Amino acid sequence: MRNLITSLFLLLLFNSLAAQSRQKPINERVDSVLAQMTLDEKIGQMTLFTTDWGSTGPTIRPGYREDIMQGRCGALFNAHGVTFTRELQRIAVEESRLKIPLLFGYDVIHGFKTIFPIPLAEAASWDTEAVKASAEVAADEASAAGLHWTFAPMVDITRDPRWGRIMEGAGEDPFLASVVAAQRVKGFQGEATFDEPNHILACVKHFAAYGAPFGGRDYNTVDMSERMFREVYLPPYQAAIEAGARTVMTAFNELNGVPATSNKWLLTDLLRHELRFKGMVVTDYTSINELVEHGVAADEKHASELAVMAGSDMDMQSAAYHRFLKGLVEEGKVPIERVDEAARRVLRLKFELGLFEDPYRFCDEQREKEVILSDRNRSIARDVARKSIVLLRNEGVLPLPKETKKLAVLGPLAADKDNLIGFWSAAGEGRHCVSLVEGIRNKLGENVELLTAKGCEITGDDKSGFARAVEMARQADAVVVAIGESREMSGEAASKVDISLPGVQEDLVKALMETGKPLVVVLMNGRPLTIPWLGENAPALLETWWLGTEAGNAIADVLFGDYNPSGKLPVSFPRHVGQIPVFYSHKPTGRPYQPNDKWRSQYLDESNEPLFPFGYGLSYTTFEIGSPKPDKTSFRSGEVVKVQVKVTNTGNREGEEVVQLYIRDKVASVTRPVKELKAFQKVSLKPGESKDLRFTLFEKDFAFLDQNLEWTIEPGEFEIKVGNSSDNVKAVVVERVE
Ligand code: NOJ
């Protein structure tokens, strides 16, 4: 009995000591772990290796189990699933000297197993709650599969659709992209308290300006003015950091002569001192080694020195810190304080996630079974997917009647599943996707006869399937034809000089259109395509991007009018690849464009205008947006400008409209864009219903960088333009007075 009482007492004492130590500030706990670590172990915390499950480059270290045991890596990526991560974690916490838990990262970009629309598509929803909900589900599923950390959001602005990674960001505009970036961080991280193991660390990438490579060629050089960088490219990173993102990833590219991974100005002066980022910086994949190829480092040891001293805390897959950092410290080239600082940042994340208390917190088989691909997650994915669809053209064809008796569902993507998950689809599998044919079948049941054929492949010049497809179209009441890109045609390492529709797909549409049947073109792709003929001739054209697991159901919702399309383009669609970059917020130039006036800034052989502009997208109803009504005609320093706008559904269907507010600074000491998005609201209206929307413009909305790169607002007139697309606005003028 006495023994039992003693044991109970000791147990209580132990628990209360553990509880007290849990309550100690994280900093103290981090320091107490750090104090026990050897230099090798600290460097281990600064090292991230892939397991052999998947990679986006060479897998240079296969022996990761031994690495864990020896404390040579503090984090792993690409491992997922409770069984696998639990086993790896077990090795770390049972077989390594200090028993420090591992951090598991993965590219959970748009869903883990339930795949959501690609990020560019989600941005097209202009629905901030939908964007957040998508990231929440991704985090829920990823955390249920043993993961702690996603390498997302990717917030790189791009104005170049040749760049394959355009699919992974939010498009061309700093304001929209910033809103999306912050929402995605909040979705992944929740309140970032990690009280429940259903959120994961976010990683803002790629710092910085990765979306502006010369020629749209992935990994290529970036060279831009500091003004352009700060006004256009920096804001989304900043928004994500302000939203609390715990980690930042460096970029592969150089920025104005210095590769991001060794760029002290970027990683320390700007990120730490100016943006006050407190978290951890991880490099991109082998980007330390690549400093040698860039030509700024003599060898990989030198590269390690440059990277660590610039501010790269964790080395992804270069094994450069592992091989060289100890020597650099011993030679006095890297102060131990810098190593301590980086290791501390990594340990801190592990404490924040609660891994020191319970390294298996994210390893719950039961939750893994329940959460992943649950009905709830699929239904959220369907909702986000239909909100991401943009109706580009509709000559009275859509919505199709549900009474349709015979429908031809044609094209190489009509019955396809594998491509629907798009690039960066984590653990997603095509077999879980609802194809377009299945989605239509789910919607219309057995009442409809579906005639399906590919007609052609996505690539190649074989037209031998056209005749059969045309025959089916002839027999049908209406035709839906699904064409576009396969999933590896956009994404990382997928830049293209020709961004028209691949293969003979456009010819297939032309052949089908000759039947005169009502026809809907459903585009599935990862980037804006140059499709002027379709853009001007298709009876109906739906941009569905790559919508993920629920793609077919979501498209069917739109085709048959159960959901009224509400998406708006987050990026301009060029008419011709030679126009790139084409974006709405361009400068006026001294010779603004006027068609047919040769001595203007224009092309001889193509208009300046995009095929479809930023902010554009149709609905099955129509909306009237009134003139913006500001609450004052002039404003002074410290005052806000409130703008009221009336929007009315003038059609006969319920629908959502995205009301967009742009400004233009008419005269300034530095040239200003012809329009800059400053606010938007998505509003749902019944037929005939009106709403008065209120926008508030703050001082920062009128500010720009002056000639000394200081933020300023100059007195003078500003146009406030409101509409439902960047090319369809009504304007009013307000004046800023001294
Ligand atoms: C390289 C990509 O640029 C980056 O975005 C990704 O997170 C890593 N590979 C890891 O897969």
Side-chain angles (χ1 to χ4, degrees), residues 55-56 77-78 107 109 151 154 165 168 205-206 210 219 249 252 284-285 316 424 492:
S55 61
T56 54
F77 68 118
N78 289 329
D107 287 284
I109 308 295
F151 304 140
M154 188 278 228
R165 294 195 85 166
E168 206 182 334
K205 66 190 192 184
H206 304 84
Y210 179 42
Y219 316 127
M249 187 185 293
F252 282 128
D284 203 344
Y285 201 106
M316 183 196 290
W424 288 125
E492 187 178 344

Side-chain angles (χ1 to χ4, degrees), residues 180-181 246 324 368 420 698 721 727:
V180 168
R246 289 294 194 270
F324 306 113
E368 185 177 42
L420 300 177
F698 299 91
K721 309 180 189 208
D727 73 340

Side-chain angles (χ1 to χ4, degrees), residues 54 82 103 216 253 273 290 333 414 515 553 566:
V82 168
L103 197 64
N253 56 283
H273 301 153
E290 291 169 25
K333 291 192 171 138
T515 64
N553 285 334
S566 64

